[in-house]
Amino acid sequence: MYWFVLSKSHRRQNIFILVASYLFYGLWDYRFLSLIALSTTIDYFVGLRLAKSNDKKHRKFLLSISLIGNLSILGFFKYYNFFVESLAYSFGTMGIRISDFTMDIILPVGISFYTLQTLSYTIDIYRDKIKPTEDFIAFSAFVSFFPQLVAGPIERASNLLPQFLQPREFNYKYAVKGMEMILWGLFMKVVIADSLDATQAYIFFTSKNPTLLSQLVNLPLSTTWLYCDFAGYSLIARGTARLLGFELMRNFAFPFFATSVSDFWKRWHISLTSWLMDYVFRPYLKITSSKNKAVYGLFLVFILCGLWHGARLTFLLWGGLTAIFYIIDRFVQKSIGKHFKPQHWITSIALSVMLWFSTQAFFMLSGYLFRSPSLERMAVLLKSMTNVGTISTIDWKINTIPLIAVFFFFGFEYLHRKRNFGFDLSQNIPRVARWGLYLLISFMIVSYLGQTINFVYFQF
Amino acid sequence: MRRFLFHSILFASLFFGVSALIHMAKPFYFENAMFREKINEIPTECPSCNTFFIGSSLTFRHVNPMLFDSLVNSSSGHPISESYNLGSVQVNFLESMYLAEHSMEEKIVPAKSTLFLELRPHTIKDSIFTAKNTFYRDIHDLDLVASHHQNLFDKARVIYSSNAQYLFKYINGGILSTLNKNYVIEQLKQYGIRGFLPYTVSSKSRNKKISIAYDDIDEYNPEHTSIVVKQLKHIQEIAKKHQIRLIYLVPNLFLDESSDWKTHLIHPLQKDSSLQIIDMGQPHRYPRIFSPYQYHDKVHLHEDGANLYTQLLVDAYLEL
């Protein structure tokens, strides 16, 4: 219908996308559609007014409407209970008891994603980087675009909005790549992430006394699980968007091949980290004159990154720890660059392997804070590490096939690490071989379609 | 666009065609190498068997068919028993249900037989085996299969996914099967009698004290009770249809009587006259099979323990 009936007018296609997006979101909870509509309306009108105004003060006022409006909605739904509980706790430590004002608030799915997306629109207009659109339908479709509405990538108006404003044509090769993205995304989610889900959840949430060895084995497995779950969704979103003629930004760029922490964060959840760099870190550097402003800026960015994931102390600490790792890594990398120039290819390889290992180890270790549901649980896990033991058969039971799938997956990722995504097959591969691979992966996906496990980033 | 649609349809046809071929070729027990081995042996080893045991290694290692038959046949008022142990290693609750259902439907368990089916809690540990299960991938799949009111797509998904798994499970079970599993099957072929292979006991290990594993009762999810009850009755209906006497057998699980599983599932079921249950998981009633000296490892009895278990099982069976 999209390509056959509505192909003559991109405006009709936009209406179709808008209706589909609102339906998609409304099927989860129609009440929260009003929040998307409210954000859309505020930013649409703020954007138009910003373009018309030359008065600095007035422009700042308009931008603050957008910022306060969007961040208040996000703050209320995501952080209200956290702040009330923290306040009550702080007063409690001083001996003052205040009554509990917490509320039973449901977190609207995708609110953290579309809020940042729509904020980028007004901020970019304020900075005169883009011009506002007068097409309300196109703008609404941009904010609520269903492939990436609930778990990103967090798009920029400068990239996605112009695509809604121009006619789109179906392109065979483009659509085939989209299908490959969907296939690979499903493989990552269904075959790998879902197979590893029970084990990592058992260690992090249920197991009473997981041994050190079980926990060590769980580190790379749970990281692979997180990556495949989230990056899998991003790929499915990109592939679906491609089938509709849109190009979404890349959200992951083979982070497990990064050899420094800074490189890692340029490859992991790119849409969020680049958003924080563009709209928090760089503006912060501009307004601060402190000698250590880059260090403070990094702390600010990663603590906000932690808080963006949720109102939890472990996320906050995770942000702080990541910033520390980031700074240590920068220092080490600089020192190595200054004082150590490998003369032999073996030392060069050894150095790369060492840097790669330390980068991945940093991320996996900080992941402990990220995954632990509470500090108390984190303490239990750390305490049980004194129990060296063996890999308990109860703690760690995975079938051979998912493990083979993990190797198969990383093999493909490595082979295609210079390309767009892990299954970005070359057109030089004969069609029979490509179709054989499509069939193989489809079989694996279907064979593991058992239980319904939500994407982990839906909760953020 | 037309080229893309044409290729999409071609791919879908190919995919479903290959799936259909796999579906036609596979037997229901395809991934369970030990079960397959036993089924192949029945026609030669025990062609007129009329009593069968299906379950995990707790059945495989504990129920001695020869002893069972001699004790049952020496009592009066019971038809002559010829039994076969179909218990297999690494089979969880969901797979036992699956194997029992299909063994009856495909007449591996013939009409007028007695079938003992192992009944255990489904725990989070079982979910870790998700990829292993053939038909019932998840506890909720039981509901999908048993219920006539679920939507067709969900049902098709469950059934279809089991078919598509064949290719991979075959590779897994055949080529990549663990050495240990193959070793046990080899041992069974050499020393097993009617599917039973106990852990041998030496004079040294006879007096060895083993600490028995307390089953992790906290992990049972009471929300699953209604699904399990529905499935147990569903299998009971199949047994009735095929004129098979079905007896659910709770093995020697070291469970507290006040555990969730017992309280929510077993105790109410024991009051239900349409189901027959033998509960061997009662340390206060059968203290001898919970003696640490009867065990080979944390959960499995050794040969002496298995013979004692079989004796007590026969007593309970004759009391039914």
Side-chain angles (χ1 to χ4, degrees), chain B residues 263-313:
Chain B
T263 322
H264 291 283
L265 187 75
I266 300 301
H267 294 163
L269 283 179
Q270 280 169 332
K271 289 174 193 156
D272 186 336
S273 58
S274 65
L275 298 174
Q276 290 192 308
I277 297 177
I278 294 176
D279 183 1
M280 302 296 287
Q282 301 180 77
H284 65 281
R285 191 168 172 191
Y286 304 110
R288 287 160 67 202
I289 54 165
F290 288 93
S291 157
Y293 296 100
Q294 299 292 349
Y295 280 75
H296 167 81
D297 57 33
K298 285 182 173 184
V299 287
H300 298 107
L301 297 158
H302 55 50
E303 193 172 1
D304 291 353
N307 287 337
L308 179 63
Y309 179 88
T310 309
Q311 266 178 38
L312 295 168
L313 171 64

Side-chain angles (χ1 to χ4, degrees), chain A residues 3-4 170 172 175 179 198-199 202 206 208 243 394 397 399-401 404 431 435 438-439 442-444 446-451, chain B residues 1 3-5 7 10-11 14-15 18-19 22 124-125 128-131 137-138 157 160-161 164-165 168 172 176 216 218-219:
Chain A
W3 287 115
F4 283 113
F170 185 85
Y172 175 81
M179 290 300 280
T199 303
Y202 187 68
T206 320
K208 282 174 187 156
L243 292 181
I394 293 165
K397 279 243 190 280
N399 200 257
T400 333
I401 291 294
I404 293 169
R431 179 172 286 171
W435 278 52
Y438 296 157
L439 268 180
S442 305
F443 267 116
M444 291 193 83
V446 175
S447 72
Y448 281 85
L449 270 179
Q451 33 191 167
Chain B
M1 184 68 198
R3 189 176 159 213
F4 181 76
L5 279 180
H7 282 163
L10 191 66
F11 181 76
L14 205 62
F15 181 72
V18 173
S19 306
I22 290 170
I124 190 167
K125 289 171 208 161
I128 294 172
F129 283 102
T130 325
R137 305 285 314 279
D138 179 57
R157 178 180 60 75
Y160 181 75
S161 76
Q165 281 178 71
F168 303 101
N172 195 30
L176 302 167
D216 209 343
D218 294 341
E219 286 180 354

Side-chain angles (χ1 to χ4, degrees), chain A residues 105-118:
Chain A
I105 300 169
I106 307 167
L107 178 72
V109 170
I111 191 167
S112 314
F113 292 90
Y114 71 75
T115 302
L116 295 196
Q117 181 161 315
T118 182

